[in-house]
Every structure is written in C-alpha cells, then in structure tokens.
C-alpha cells in the first residue's frame, strides 16, 4: 500500500478540496445575500405548491411574489421557501398577503436578483445537516488514510 502513496495523496487532496468547495457553495447560498442592498417592496401575490424533497418526502413550498424599485427601474421577484409541513407553508403565505410591505435584499451588481428574508423554522436542520456532512467527510478521509497507510 505504501507504493500507492504518490497516487493516493493527490486523490485525497482533490477530495478534500471538493468538500471545501461544497461547503463554500453551501455557505454562499445561505449567507451570500447578506451584503446585498436593501429596499422596500410589496407582496403582489402568494401561492403554495408541493414537490418531492428527499426521496418520497414531500416539500411544501410557499411562493411569495413581490415587486420593488431600484432607482427608476421596477423589478418583479419571486421566492419559494420549502417547508416539511403544509401548515407552516400556509402560515407563511397567510402572514404575507398581497399588499404587505417587505424588505427586499437585492444584488447591487444585478438588481433583478433578489430575495426576501423569511424566517424559516427549519434553518436549524440545515445547520445540523451541514455539521453532519462535514463530520462524515472528515471521518471518510481519516478512514481512507488509516486503511492506505497502515
């Protein structure tokens, strides 16, 4: 197994870098809009839908359609927030009826790109999944290292 070391080390490094890139993309998806500009907007409509989430478990999506202005330009945006409970998705919809004022976070480089800050009761689940994924990835690297070099 020691003869495989020149091949295995670059492979392990590639796997580690891929894991780091995945974690970076996840954090950008979750926190990437934190430095975006904020403007006032208004909800123009809402709807719910269902989709397959993980395997056969359904996800209940709360869609919030909104409009906002950046300078002289008016933009339309839509945000779908997935929940594992139809009741929670309906509560989000009910708390954002048409005409409700909202804070819109938009990308200053691409003002048509925007999100709303809707509190998700399941955000803790994202943190748990992220932590478990990182831990599992680390364990896989350590197991591969011990199998190959001992």
């Amino acid at each position: 197994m020691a003869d495989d070391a020149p091949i295995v080390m670059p492979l392990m490094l590639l796997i580690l870098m891929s894991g780091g890139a995945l974690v970076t993309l996840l954090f950008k998806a979750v926190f990437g809009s934190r430095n975006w500009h904020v403007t006032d907007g208004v909800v123009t409509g809402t709807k719910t839908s269902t989709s397959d989430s993980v395997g056969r478990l359904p996800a209940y999506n709360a869609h919030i359609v909104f409009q906002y202005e950046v300078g002289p330009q008016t933009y339309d945006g839509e945000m779908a927030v997935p929940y594992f409970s139809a009741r929670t998705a309906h509560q989000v919809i009910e708390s954002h009826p048409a005409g409700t004022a909202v804070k819109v976070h938009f990308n200053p480089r691409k003002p048509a790109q925007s999100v709303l800050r809707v509190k998700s009761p399941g955000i803790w689940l994202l943190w748990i999944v992220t932590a478990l994924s990182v831990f599992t990835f680390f364990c896989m690297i350590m197991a591969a290292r011990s199998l190959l070099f001992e």
Side-chain angles (χ1 to χ4, degrees), residues 20-43:
L22 182 63
V23 170
T24 301
L25 287 175
L26 178 64
F27 273 65
K28 277 190 176 186
V30 173
F31 300 112
S33 63
R34 288 206 179 211
N35 296 324
W36 286 5
H37 294 179
V38 180
T39 189
D40 293 322
V42 64
V43 175

Side-chain angles (χ1 to χ4, degrees), residues 68-137:
Y68 61 101
E69 292 181 9
V70 177
Q73 182 75 34
T74 300
Y75 295 95
D76 294 313
E78 181 177 345
M79 187 169 144
V81 183
Y83 296 97
F84 289 110
S85 161
R87 183 173 155 235
T88 305
H90 286 293
Q91 286 174 343
V92 170
I93 293 301
E94 290 171 2
S95 66
H96 293 83
T100 303
V102 289
K103 294 289 182 188
V104 179
H105 297 256
F106 67 93
N107 185 342
R109 292 185 181 124
K110 297 178 185 175
Q113 189 178 16
S114 61
V115 295
L116 299 177
R117 293 282 187 232
V118 177
K119 284 194 173 187
S120 174
I123 196 73
W124 59 271
L125 183 63
L126 178 64
W127 284 110
I128 290 172
V129 169
T130 302
L132 288 174
S133 298
V134 169
F135 179 73
T136 302
F137 182 74

